[in-house]
Every structure is written in C-alpha cells, then in structure tokens.
Amino acid sequence: MTSSAVCSHRDPMLKKRDDFEDMLEERRNSSDLRYALRCYTPVVYKGLAPCKANQLKNMVLQSEQIHYVINQVSKEMGKAVDEVQEEVSSILEEMAQRLQLSTVRFFAFTLSKVFKTLFRSICVNEEGIQRLQQAIQEHPVVLLPSHRSYMDFLLMSYILYTYDLALPVIAAGMDFMAMKFVGEMLRMSGAFFIRRSFGGDKLYWAVFSEYVKTMLKNGYAPVEFFLEGTRSRTCKSLTPKLGLLNIVMDPFLKGQVYDINLVPVSISYERILEESLYARELLGVPKPKESTSGLFKARKVLSEDYGSIHVYFGQPVSVRSLAQGRVNRCQFNLKPRHIPRRPSEDIQSFVNDSAYRLVRAQEENMVLKPWVLLASLLLQNHHQNQAEGQKRGITLDELTESAVWLRDLSRHYGAFLHWPDHTPPSEVVASSLSLHQGLVRISEGRVQLALEQGGQAKPEKPHSTITPEEDLLSQAVVVLSCASYRNQALHVFLRPALLASAIHAASSNNKQDIYNSFSFLRNMFSNEFILCPGATIEDFEEACFLLVKTGALQVTQQEVVVTERGHRTLTFLTSMLDPFLQGYQVVCRFLCEEATEALTEKQFVPAVRKFIIKHLLAGRLRYSEVLSSDLQKNSLAALLRLGAVRKIKGAEQETLKVNQVMVNSLEDTLGGKLPTQKAAVARL
Amino acid sequence: MDPSAPSLHKHGSSMASNSSGSSSDRQRVAQQRLRIIAGHLQRPVDEEAAVLAAECKAKGSKADVPKVTEEKTVPRRRQEIMKWNGWGYSDSRFLFNKKGQAEFTGKRYRLSGMIIPGLKDWMEGTFGASMQHKMPATPILNSDAVKPPTLNEAFVDDLKSTSIPFSHDAEDRVFRSHGHCLHEIFALREGKVGRVPDMVVWPNCHNDVVKIVELACKHNVCLIPYGGGTSVSSALECPPEETRSIVSLDTSQMNRILWIDEKNLTAHVEAGIVGQDLERLLNESGYCTGHEPDSMEFSSLGGWVATRASGMKKNIYGNIEDLVVHVKMVTPQGVIEKSCQGPRMSTGPDVHHFILGSEGTLGVVTEVTMKIRPMPEYQKYGSVVFPNFEQGVACLREVARQRCAPASIRLMDNEQFKFGHALKPQVSSLFTSFLDGLKTFYITKFKGFDPNRLCVATLLFEGNREKVLQHEKQVYDIAAKFGGLAAGEDNGQRGYMLTFVIAYLRDLGMDYYVIGESFETSVPWDRVLDICRNVKARIVGECKERAVQFPPLSTCRVTQTYDAGACVYFYFAFNYRGLSDPVHVYEQVEHAAREEILANGGSLSHHHGVGKLRKEWMRETISNVGMGMLKSVKDYVDPNNIFGNRNLL
C-alpha cells in the first residue's frame, strides 16, 4: 500500500499516474442541498480512541509533556503553576479546532455553488482517494497538500467530504483567525490556528506540538498542513518548513505509533485566483491583512473563468520506511520521552531529507496545462525580442510549433502534462490564450505579453501621470504573473537546465569541469528550487540521462558534447534559468556596491529593489522578474548559507555583514567569468 | 530460561484447601505436594536419594553409578525418556485422534489423557492449518547422518584413567548438540544434523569437573557445558568453525543437595540438578527455593546461573541473582569462589556477576549455595478480565507501583486469551458448560466487554492463608479501578497451564505446517503498550512482506512486573505452506522483531540470554567499553578458549 519510493524513477517517461474524474460533474446534475445533507460515514483509523474536540484539550492539558513544561516554566519564570496552567488553557482555547459536521455541511453547500461558477471542473484521481481510504484505516495520516491559493484547504475538506473520507484538522496561520466570523467558521470546519512565529516560546511550542501529536496518535482525524509553510506566490514549490513535519514524525520515532502515512497532495490550478495579487505582493505592495471584507471584495473574481483544478492524491509514504536504516530510534531510550529536547542531528537531517522528497513528490504530480508551456515560450520570446530590439511578439504558427516541440520535450522529461491530444494543437493554443487573456494580446497575428495596458493594474490612472518607474512596475506585474505559470514547469526542466547552464558556463567539454559547474549552480540555487540535499550526483546523472535520451547531448567517460540538434533544447533550457542567474548576480552586485554597514535584513529588499529598478530603467538588466522579492530573499538566504554574508548582532538590531571578496567571486562565477573551484565540490 | 514449559503449578489449587500452619500439617502438606510432583515423573521417587551430604560418587565403585542415575529424573541416556526431536517426555504429546479431536497423551500432566475440543477449530481458524496437510517428523535418528566423532585420543586416554563416564554414541552426541530454538528442532524433525559434539562426559561431582577441565586444557579440547538442554538462544550449537574435538560436559549427574542449613535458610546444591528435583527434594524437608522458570521440569541450576534465569514467582523469591549466595565455578584458570557466605559484601565488583550470565564461556558452575524458604502454607490462583489490554497494563503498573504484586501476575492479550480458551479441556458436566456460558454472557453482554478486545490477567498468590486472602482483596480492588472483573481460579490456573503446554503444542503445530517460537524482553513501564503494539504489528508486516500466505499469530503477554518496568513475552507462529525456506523466513521475521524491540526501548533479553542468536546486538547493548570489559575477563580466565561455545561475545 504505502511505499518509500518518493524519489524519482530512472526514466520519468515511465511514471505511471492515475486517471482523473471530474467531481463537479455530479454537482451540476444533482441537488447541492441533498448532497450537503447526505449521510456521511467515513472510515476511521483502526486504533481510533473516539473522543470529542473538547476532550482533546483535556488530554493535552493532562499529558505528561505539558505537566513537565508547566513545571519548568513555572520554576524559570517564578510564576505559580496555576497561572502557567491558565496560560496553557488559553493557548489551547486560541488554537483548538471545533470540527462540526454541520459547518462542514454548510461549506459543502456553499462551496458547491461557488466552485461551479468559478471552475470548469475539479478533477480528482479516484485511485488516490481509494489509497487514502486504505491508509486512513491502517495508520494515522498526515495530508500534505501543495499551497498555491487560499482555496487549498477548503478545497481539500470539500473533496474529502465528497468522497466520504475522514475530515482533516488543518494547521492554519493565525492571520485567518483575525477574520471575524470566517475564522470561527474555519475553526468549526477543522482548522486550528497557530501563531506565525513563536521561536523562543517554550510553552507555546509544547502546547502546540502536544495538541497536534494528540490528534494524530489517537487517530482523531487526519492532520493536514502545508509543508511549504505559506502560499507560494511564485507557483514554484517553496523549500519545506520543518517544524510541523518534525512534530508529526515524532510519535513514530518515539514508538508511540507503529507508523504514520504521509500523503502528498498536488493541487494544480489552471488559473490562480490570486494571480495578479501575488505579483503585486512580490513587487512590494504589501500583502493586505486577511479580513472578511477583503474576502468579499474578492467577489469580483466570481464572474471570471478560472478553468479547472486538478487534485492528485499521491502514493502514501510510510514514515517507517522512510526512517528504515536512516534513524536509530534507540536514541530515545535513555531519557523519558515526554521531556522535550532538540532533535539530534541525524533526525534533523532525516526530517529535512524527507521534507524535500515529499515536496518533490508534490511537484511530480502537479498537472501542467498547455498554458504553462506557452507562458514559458512567451516570456523567453519577450526577453529575446527586448534584447534584440525586434518586433514584439511571436506569430501564432511559430508559437504553436514551439509549443508542440516543448510538449514533446516536457513529456520526455516526465511532466504530468494535460494536453488534449485529440484536439489540433492550434486549437489548444488558442483556447489557452483565451483563458489567460489578461496576460496576453494577439495583434496582427502576433502573440505577445499584454504589457502596454499595464496588465490589469490600475487602468483608472490617467496615462500622463505614470512615471517610468510605475510603468516598469505595472509591466512587471504581467511578467511576474506569466512567470508564475512558467514556474509551474520549472521542476520538470530544472535539472537539465542546470546542466545546460553548467555546460554554457564551463570553459571546456570536460565532464568533471561541467560537473563542478553544475554542482556550484545547484548549490547556489538550493534555496530557490527544490533540490534534495546531498543528491548532487543523482541530479547530475538524471540531467545527463534526460538530455542524452532526447539526443541533445553525448556523454562519454570524459566529455559532455552538445549535439547539432541539441542546440534548440539547450538554448531553451539556459534561457529558462537565465533570469535567476542574472537575478543572483544583480543581488551580489548590489551587496558589493551599495550595501552599507548598517544594512539590516528588513531594509535589504527595499534597497535591492531600488537598485534593480535603476538598472532596469538604465537598460543594463533585461529581466524585470528579478524585481520579485522572492528571488531577492532566496539569493540572500543562499549567500547567508554560503557564508558570503553574515548576520551581525548589533546593539539594536541585526545587520548584514558582506564579505566583499566572496560575494564578488560568486558573482563572477555565476556570470561564467571564473571557473568553479574544484576543491569546493565533490568529485564525480 | 526457556520459552515454554512445563511446570508444577498444577498442585497449587489442591493445596488451597489446606489451611493450617502447624508443623505436622506442614509435613502433611509437603508429603502431598511431593506426591503430586512425583506424579510428573516416570518412576517413583526413591526416598533414600532425597537429601545426601555425600562425597563425590565417582570416587566410589563404578557399579554405583548406574544405580544412582536410575533414581534420578534425568538419566545419562536422556533419549530413553525424552524426545530427541521435540519438547519434553516421549510419552507426552498432542495429537489429533481418530475422531479428529485434539488429545494430550501420557499420564504426567493434568491435561494428560484429556480431549481438547476447541483446539482444532482454533488451529484452523488462526493459522489456516488443515488436518489434511500433515508434515510428520522423521521418527528415528539416522546415525549415518551424524559425522563420526573427531576424537582427541590423548584426552580420551587420560579421561579413561579418571573413570568418569563418557560416550561417543551418535544419539548421545546429537541430543547435546541443540537447544530448543525453532531452527534446531525443525532441522532435527527433518533428520538433518549439523556439527555435533564429538563426545559426552558425565562428571559426578565438582572434582570430576576439575579433572575434565584440566585435561581439556592439557590437550586443547573444546568444552561445552550442558545442563538441561532447554536453551533458546542457540547457545548449545557447536560452532561450525571449531576444529578441535568438542566435548559436551553434561552436568545432569551432579544432582544432589549436599546440605541444608536451616539456621541461615540456605541449601548447598550440585549445579546439575534440574528444577523439579530441586523443589521435590527441598519440599521433603519443608522447604522450597521458589525459583520456578517455565522450563523447570528440565532446566538445571547451573543453567539458571549461567543465563541469569528468572522464575515466575520472582516477586516473592527473587530472580536467580537474588537467590544465589555462593557459587563455585571451575575455569581453565582454576576454581573461583568466595571465601564466606555473608549476605552482602562490599568487596569491589561482585565476581558472581561475571559468572551469572556467562553462558558457559568461562567455566562450569559446579556447586551453588541458594537461599531457601519454608514452603508456603497456602496457594491460590486467580484471574481478572479487563475490557482491553491498555487497562490491563495500567492495572499491572499500579500493582507494581504499590509493590503488592502477587507471587505471579501475568497479563495475556486478546489473542492469547482466545488461545487459552481453545485449550479448555472437555467439560464433564452440562452444569459446568452452562456456567461457562453464563459467565461469557455476563462479561460480554452485561458488562459490555468486546470479546475481540478483552484480555485476562492470571494471578498466583502464595503465603500464609490470611495474608493471601488480604492480598487477594487488595489486588482485586486495584483491578476493579481499571475495569477489571474477577474471573475465577480456573481461568488463572489454565493460564499457567498454557505456559507448559505451549512447548508441546509447538510440536503439534509443526506436524501441520505451523512453526512458531516465543521471545522476550524487558522494558520500562511507559514503553510497555508501545512495544507490544509495535512488535506485534512488525511481525504481521514482515510476514506480509515475505509472502507468508496466511496471517501469522502475533501475540504477547506481560509476565513479570518490576518497580521500573516489566517483562514482555511475544509469541509468533505462522502457517508456512507455500514457502520454500520457512525457517529462514521465520528467522528474518524474528530478527526484525528484535530490531523493533530494541528500537522501542526494550532489552536484548530479560532471561533467555544472548547465546549466539542475539550476539550481533551485544555491542550496541552494552557499549564498546562494556564489550572490552567482558572480553578481558574471558581473555584472562580462558585464554585458549577451552570453553569455546562462542556465546555472548
């Protein structure tokens, strides 16, 4: 049933995936009310100790763990035990879910209505549902959906309700709770709320982790959370956050349950509701605080067509088999298990590796729509034309030809592409373009990004008052929105693209040189993309395999040679990665040229943004997507990780200390001006 | 010391009716107890052989020797009364009679001659076994299968001059080449014999052992001490890589109680004595050791010391390490013993602890001074039904916390409860079966216990009558707090019976393609439920993974309570039809189960020992330094590896 095989297959073409069923179809043909009120009898965990939501709180309060921490905190803070206990109760009160079937039924009814207006279809792999049903009975289950939209968790619960599966309890950010009424509604549909940051708060951490573990261990309900921690504004998977994964793996590692099933779920939206919202957020318009009125303003979205959603329930992954041979569980033998302690190094690295594998598993089952390929092509075309000063856009025929070429390539790379094969390619292209008419324009038979009108951004502003900077930003909104679709395909092309860029950067055809270069790039971008830690050689081999298989490369013992017909592929791949390469270089440039002694992490993004705008306006930089704060933050994280920038604890706040020499040399290496140092990387 | 086994528990309830404390009564009780125990034995007990303070018999005339052995439970030629390829006495076994009903043969046990109507259904239902598919054992040992002995002529010549009896008869040698691990018995049933000892010697006393060890050192012969042969750790297996002549040193003829010291309540006993003889002989004087490992019918005092054995009544009497006051062991470096019998000493690390658990790697234990107690005047069985295993464990934990554990308290899980039920002998009267039905109705319908979840604890109380009754009340009161219902003496007694019949049952299972074994561990209280759940689940999972076609029996029980934890026993059996190498599959599953035990905070062994079966985990169990300490002791005591069974390290 469960499998440990989260890692990719040798030949991705051979990957077997389930078929989808449209669950909205039935909703369009039968009564929503009857559906919402129907008999709901999900299967439960075989070891379930039935209890009510309120009893859960008591179980947590009476647990040894909480007793221990209460006593500890009371001693340390000099507070009375009662007082701390009160605190615990109120934390629990604030946190706890109050799952109620009636609320779920309410949502089932309203969401049916909403979904039917918004989406053409919601497709679910029913075999995945069956696997999940089996998994729920066997062991406690953790659901790990990808996170691209606010919709995600309502959608998840909606699907589980529809298929008569146990409703999950969902870890949600506290900001949702701030939404009056809606917060409570969510709570009653199974959400429990956690503070976004509680780094040093021992008591909060203890209560929170015990609460989650109690629900999991007792099989109260599947526990659902987002590995990525937050919605990905860029549509590329975020590097996983480990806190909750640590918590849910703990009961297994400590032997309190026999096993835990982790179920990665990939939710792919053909068109994301928050599309331009995200782009603006990345450009520095701060994220509006979640509020009920904000949600209602979002009502205008109801009138638009958002295409279809694909939800793929992946193969359940058994924590036991993940841990087999990786973790020595005896390490918990010598200290009472209820005494909290920092996870050992091998557990940290185990959880980290597992998290990456799980995010990879999510990525692999993300459904790609033809538009994703079109967006990639249009972006590349846009930048190329911009550079060469050519006529803007690409003819429809050319675009179709390229799209078909890219379709075949991506399939060879194992993409989960939903391309209607029985429809002529030109129709497929046309219908994709029409769904995304906010982002593209077709004029004179040429397709191009809809930049002139500034996308959908503030068309009400009089044209005259628009400064060049504002114009740039409004164009960037479209570019970033487009990039968010291209990003959905990144995981398919990432490894070959890293290899292509490495070949491009390496001075010779020597395999070792190219490997070194590959390894450098991979290391550099490991905050940007999902690259499993320690898997450099595997990734290199996979990239070689794919490029050789498609005839783009010849790889011998010593050499890597690009074939005649491989140029198109390699050009496409390097162009795909180029914005990121340039982006990281610009950030390095900024740090070398403009970073002052007093630069703090908070000031970093605005400052680097200003710097980039300057360069963009001056034409020294062509990729406006470099304005994405996501890329900027990731590059800073990479530099911090590599030790090129350090955080210095100052009197008032932490400042960033730049190692000029190192940053400079990283920039040069990224730009291909310096060979990669062999000493720094493992040999093949 | 052993998984299985026989026992003397059955006499208990008949004693419950005796209630007086006077000394003449005490004797009567002893007499009665003796009669009952004697019932286990093939031959009547020779009263004169009871308590001897004799000198070494070997010094006497040769003619004495056969006479003395005749009086003992264990003759030199064990095969005369015991199975060569199965458990226990040749006359006692389970079989399906012509009517297809299970029956236990012989006259030795309470169950002997009885019909067990539920067993067939249970076997079919639990294992998918079928009476049509039989796998009988090879009836007779084919001596051709046994390699001729590699004798060290010089050693043999010198040995002859000592007039210590020895043999290189194939049957004698094969009998001492194994314990009772599944793979050992399975091979024997197929008539397969591996490396066996080249000869067997039967020393009659400590001095004989000294001579044998000296000769072994002189001629570089490998010695493997053999006590009761009930090992379940591959401890008796001859290392295949051993090139020297291997001599099995069978201690069974060193079986006398040398003296009893009533002032200090100690007895000095030769280490070859088996448990049932020791108890019987002491009982005659009104005493007992109270050490009753499940294998006590066959296992020996020396074996207990060498493996750190544990008895079911350890709550009153203690485990072997608590019972031993003085030990004499013959090693290649000479004899080790303490100079006095003080009850406790602060004289550096206790050298007894190098001996306890040495598993025959350092020398032969020849004589032991043990604590003895006056026989209890009253014994009472009992049982408690709990709605589920969790409640049962909680109750045992509370009993341990209040330190009021009865002589024995064991908690069986639901599967074992059903197993025990299947072993109910045919009831003689309609009334009894009506009562049974009523009880079942009360528990499952009236009290709402789920028959697929409930579990039962069996109890044995011992001591002065009033105190036993008081104690009983205390324990039942605690049980009630955890939802436990008293379920009568019969259930309790049958529970203890299960312990001894299970070893015989394994042979029956093997006749029908079912193989199984038990293994044990000790674990802190907070881990008990987790370890039980996880190990049982691991066994089921591993069987599935290895294409075992029928779901296995995977069950456990908590058999001992301590202040800080408990001893847990796992039983694992499966129907192996369709598997090409069932023993290998079995071993893989047991290996995985042990890994699971260790990962859940369980110990490598509570009392079975390490032998060769669990050696691979010793280093992680006791650390590098710990291994070094034990190795350095071995290197000093036995530099030429004369005691070369290669157990433990």
Side-chain angles (χ1 to χ4, degrees), chain B residues 324-616:
Chain B
V324 164
V325 177
H326 183 270
V327 188
K328 207 190 264 188
M329 179 166 78
V330 182
T331 77
Q333 286 286 16
V335 175
I336 173 173
E337 63 178 321
K338 289 183 186 173
S339 68
C340 66
Q341 308 206 57
R344 181 180 189 274
M345 300 182 207
S346 173
T347 49
D350 190 341
V351 291
H352 279 173
H353 285 292
F354 290 125
I355 298 168
L356 286 155
S358 58
E359 303 195 358
T361 60
L362 300 177
V364 188
V365 177
T366 54
E367 289 173 14
V368 178
T369 308
M370 258 183 119
K371 295 180 194 168
I372 55 171
R373 298 292 302 166
M375 288 172 61
E377 68 176 58
Y378 189 73
Q379 269 192 325
K380 194 171 181 193
Y381 287 98
S383 64
V384 181
V385 181
F386 292 98
N388 55 47
F389 192 65
E390 290 76 9
Q391 294 281 72
V393 171
C395 172
L396 260 62
R397 205 282 162 265
E398 185 56 30
V399 166
R401 196 196 314 274
Q402 296 191 21
R403 289 198 171 165
C404 64
S408 170
I409 178 165
R410 290 176 170 176
L411 180 73
M412 298 190 270
D413 70 0
N414 182 262
E415 288 84 357
Q416 258 185 58
F417 166 74
K418 289 177 179 164
F419 178 30
H421 220 69
L423 286 172
K424 256 189 179 173
Q426 200 159 37
V427 285
S428 40
S429 77
L430 261 176
F431 182 67
T432 330
S433 68
F434 170 74
L435 267 186
D436 278 353
L438 211 61
K439 270 187 237 161
T440 316
F441 177 81
Y442 176 73
I443 287 174
T444 57
K445 296 290 175 325
F446 190 73
K447 280 289 173 179
F449 284 19
D450 178 351
N452 290 315
R453 294 196 72 202
L454 62 81
C455 72
V456 63
T458 58
L459 311 165
L460 172 61
F461 298 92
E462 208 173 274
N464 147 320
R465 185 169 190 277
E466 244 167 74
K467 279 197 183 138
V468 163
L469 296 177
Q470 218 179 343
H471 194 178
E472 193 185 17
K473 185 178 178 312
Q474 188 185 5
V475 172
Y476 283 123
D477 284 351
I478 295 174
K481 280 188 202 142
F482 296 92
L485 295 173
E489 288 182 57
D490 267 7
N491 276 321
Q493 208 175 346
R494 210 177 38 254
Y496 288 98
M497 180 189 72
L498 185 78
T499 308
F500 88 83
V501 295
I502 195 158
Y504 284 103
L505 262 177
R506 185 171 80 176
D507 292 336
L508 177 73
M510 288 209 261
D511 287 341
Y512 294 93
Y513 286 92
V514 174
I515 52 176
E517 177 105 90
S518 62
F519 40 90
E520 41 74 56
T521 187
S522 56
V523 64
W525 277 116
D526 73 310
R527 293 271 199 170
V528 170
L529 282 176
D530 291 333
I531 208 170
C532 291
R533 179 202 331 104
N534 292 350
V535 173
K536 290 199 296 189
R538 179 77 182 259
I539 289 170
V540 173
E542 294 283 334
C543 282
K544 209 177 189 178
E545 222 166 89
R546 285 164 222 291
V548 174
Q549 299 185 359
F550 303 88
L553 173 71
S554 171
T555 146
C556 72
R557 65 178 191 214
V558 181
T559 61
Q560 289 290 10
T561 62
Y562 291 89
D563 287 350
C567 168
V568 179
Y569 244 90
F570 295 96
Y571 289 82
F572 156 46
F574 63 91
N575 180 343
Y576 67 84
R577 282 183 58 217
L579 295 180
S580 60
D581 191 352
V583 172
H584 182 62
V585 170
Y586 169 80
E587 284 174 343
Q588 285 180 316
V589 177
E590 189 189 327
H591 189 275
R594 182 58 62 180
E595 293 271 340
E596 193 62 32
I597 285 173
L598 298 176
N600 283 276
S603 66
L604 190 52
S605 171
H606 170 261
H607 61 278
H608 282 177
V610 175
K612 290 179 270 292
L613 195 61
R614 288 176 275 275
K615 247 166 99 164
E616 64 180 288

Side-chain angles (χ1 to χ4, degrees), chain A residues 293-547:
Chain A
S293 58
L295 196 78
F296 283 111
K297 271 183 207 144
R299 275 197 52 182
K300 80 167 171 87
V301 301
L302 283 176
S303 55
E304 291 198 35
D305 178 0
Y306 286 88
S308 53
I309 305 177
H310 284 84
V311 184
Y312 194 96
F313 287 84
Q315 196 63 246
V317 178
S318 131
V319 178
R320 175 171 279 269
S321 51
L322 280 178
Q324 184 74 39
R326 282 272 336 235
V327 178
N328 181 1
R329 286 182 283 150
C330 293
Q331 62 187 285
F332 299 102
N333 288 356
L334 296 179
K335 203 171 162 187
R337 289 174 293 172
H338 66 265
I339 298 181
R341 61 170 180 181
R342 201 167 264 289
S344 66
E345 242 167 65
D346 67 324
I347 287 186
Q348 282 179 32
S349 92
F350 163 67
V351 174
N352 190 37
D353 289 1
S354 307
Y356 273 87
R357 281 162 154 235
L358 290 160
V359 177
R360 283 283 311 254
Q362 284 177 356
E363 280 186 334
E364 276 177 4
N365 293 322
M366 286 291 216
V367 170
L368 305 185
K369 284 290 185 175
W371 165 247
V372 167
L373 303 182
L374 297 179
S376 309
L377 291 166
L378 287 169
L379 266 178
Q380 289 196 5
N381 172 265
H382 166 71
H383 289 131
Q384 222 175 336
N385 291 349
Q386 200 184 9
E388 291 161 14
Q390 284 175 355
K391 201 171 172 195
R392 289 200 165 181
I394 177 172
T395 67
L396 209 50
D397 290 344
E398 263 181 281
L399 182 64
T400 309
E401 188 275 331
S402 296
V404 169
W405 171 79
L406 190 55
R407 174 195 72 188
D408 296 341
L409 186 70
S410 64
R411 279 186 175 157
H412 276 294
Y413 290 177
F416 196 2
L417 187 65
H418 247 235
W419 183 293
D421 280 312
H422 304 297
T423 319
S426 56
E427 266 179 49
V428 174
V429 170
S431 99
S432 294
L433 294 178
S434 80
L435 185 69
H436 296 276
Q437 39 185 269
L439 299 176
V440 278
R441 289 281 172 276
I442 307 172
S443 55
E444 301 159 33
R446 294 179 82 83
V447 187
Q448 55 174 315
L449 298 185
L451 299 174
E452 285 79 8
Q453 295 188 2
Q456 307 156 311
K458 304 171 188 149
E460 69 272 16
K461 242 189 177 182
H463 216 273
S464 55
T465 58
I466 291 181
T467 64
E469 190 179 324
E470 277 172 325
D471 187 42
L472 178 70
L473 284 175
S474 67
Q475 287 190 22
V477 169
V478 177
V479 171
L480 279 180
S481 300
C482 236
S484 78
Y485 290 100
R486 176 211 56 201
N487 285 345
Q488 294 180 23
L490 262 178
H491 68 273
V492 175
F493 298 105
L494 177 62
R495 275 145 270 265
L498 283 169
L499 179 58
S501 302
I503 292 170
H504 188 72
S507 41
S508 70
N509 285 338
N510 182 291
K511 195 176 172 187
Q512 183 67 49
D513 285 347
I514 290 171
Y515 174 76
N516 290 343
S517 184
F518 177 87
S519 171
F520 167 79
L521 288 174
R522 192 183 174 282
N523 190 19
M524 201 67 217
F525 286 130
S526 61
N527 292 75
E528 190 73 47
F529 309 119
I530 302 303
L531 293 157
C532 294
T536 312
I537 292 179
E538 290 91 322
D539 281 350
F540 183 73
E541 278 170 358
E542 188 187 320
C544 288
F545 172 81
L546 292 175
L547 284 169

